[in-house]
Amino acid sequence: MDAMKGALVDNSGSERAAMPPTGASGTRAGLGTHHDGVVGQLDRILSALKAEFPNAAAIHLEFDGRLRAHVDIRAGENIPAVAARLETWEDGLFTSVTHGSTPHRPFLHRISALIEV
């Protein structure tokens, strides 16, 4: 039964990944359709983050049971602006925004958020 967790079964009996409803077009702010592969969706999210925060020192996606985005910046005074932008960007795609130090990089600040797809 655990193998079925997070999957939907359509009328034909085949499984498809569970995705929350999005807009009428089936996309979430241009980040892809329900039928895109996972790699394609992750690539679009990462590309959108890099375009939105071009001055970031690094941008990473991490999966540890939950998908997270990490934006590492140099200037601590920019933390509130980056965090606020993530909280309001892409129709609530990013939730639980936090900030702290960047592991093994003492001069960077990390803003992290859960990605709700």
Side-chain angles (χ1 to χ4, degrees):
M1 191 61 151
D2 286 320
M4 293 294 291
K5 189 175 181 180
L8 298 175
V9 178
D10 63 19
N11 291 336
S12 68
S14 65
E15 291 182 22
R16 59 185 171 84
M19 296 290 288
T22 54
S25 66
T27 64
R28 178 180 267 205
L31 292 180
T33 66
H34 296 325
H35 305 291
D36 284 343
V38 172
V39 173
Q41 289 180 344
L42 293 175
D43 186 49
R44 276 187 289 287
I45 291 170
L46 190 57
S47 295
L49 283 169
K50 287 179 178 180
E52 185 67 24
F53 304 108
N55 295 327
I59 297 175
H60 305 280
L61 297 180
E62 173 187 34
F63 183 78
D64 62 356
R66 300 176 93 179
L67 185 59
R68 299 176 195 277
H70 302 293
V71 179
D72 296 341
I73 60 173
R74 291 186 191 345
E77 62 269 12
N78 293 336
I79 292 171
V82 172
R85 183 66 183 130
L86 283 173
E87 290 171 343
T88 60
W89 190 48
E90 294 293 343
D91 253 356
L93 178 66
F94 301 99
T95 62
S96 303
V97 177
T98 60
H99 63 86
S101 61
T102 301
H104 312 292
R105 304 290 302 268
F107 298 106
L108 296 180
H109 308 276
R110 176 166 285 179
I111 298 94
S112 299
L114 288 174
I115 300 174
E116 302 290 335
V117 286

